[in-house]
Amino acid sequence: MGIFDALKGRKGPNLSVSSVNIKWKGRMHTRDGFQITENPFTVEIPFQNVDGGTLFQFKSQAPEPLNVSKIEIAQPFVLESVSPGLPFQIKSGEKQVFSIKVRAPDYSYSGPLSITFTTQDQQLVHVEINKVVLHTPDKTVEIEKSAVMFNIPKGQIFKNDVQMYKAFSFGAQIKEARMSDPFKLVSSDPKMPFTVNVENSYIVSFYIQAPDSDYAGSLDVFLK
């Protein structure tokens, strides 16, 4: 067999992905690998915005939108296109599948495919609440063991649960509430107005917007 006959029967490079390593906000997620049968090839990565899925996500916090601003592929692979286009925002509770078109090297390769998802930079603020204080027309009550400390993107919503029996008696009606500066009340559960109509415990969840700068001090809640 001549050299030209040998080259004629020769196949392309042997290409396989041993694993797909997805980096997102400092964490690595791994998916199974696959054999590459065409070049370029497409990888689909699903994203779902649920509780616990965002940076500095607390258990008591409603998820914020995910902002995917950039996708990078490690060598020897080359990113060709991404659908949907970037930047892209995934709202709370929504799911989005990113279809990533990748070109493999022109030589045999067997190893990982590393994909890095980058979020838009979020400016964090440091919040130290040394106590939560309830103010009613009749009295002022400090909530025991209410001190918290956390870092959070500025303007993000966090939740604070309050036992209404600390300041109100059974049958009392709360018509409105406001927070001391620099915090802002966004909503409550139950929504106002509401009546304290459970005898043993009546917990109200206040959803509060974090400040735009670092804060240390009390969180004062004014109720009437």
Side-chain angles (χ1 to χ4, degrees), residues 20-30 45 47 68 70-72 113-119:
V20 180
N21 299 326
I22 306 162
K23 188 175 181 181
W24 169 250
K25 293 184 176 180
R27 295 186 178 183
M28 188 72 72
H29 307 270
T30 301
I45 307 295
F47 260 63
V68 180
K70 187 178 182 180
I71 295 177
E72 296 177 286
L113 168 63
S114 298
I115 306 174
T116 300
F117 284 75
T118 303
T119 183

Side-chain angles (χ1 to χ4, degrees), residues 6 8 27 33 60 85 107-108 110 112 130 142 148 151 154 165 167 171 174 197 204 210-212:
K8 186 187 298 182
R27 295 186 178 183
S60 61
Y107 52 85
S108 294
S110 179
N130 56 24
E142 181 179 333
V148 292
N151 293 320
K154 66 177 184 178
Y165 277 118
I174 291 83
N197 55 8
V204 175
D212 289 337

Side-chain angles (χ1 to χ4, degrees), residues 182-223:
F183 300 100
K184 179 181 178 182
L185 178 64
V186 176
S187 64
S188 66
D189 184 18
K191 296 186 181 299
M192 290 173 280
F194 57 82
T195 302
V196 181
N197 55 8
V198 180
E199 293 185 357
N200 296 324
S201 176
Y202 196 92
I203 303 294
V204 175
S205 298
F206 291 107
Y207 293 90
I208 304 166
Q209 186 175 38
D212 289 337
S213 57
D214 294 347
Y215 175 81
S218 64
L219 171 60
D220 294 87
V221 185
F222 298 89
L223 302 158

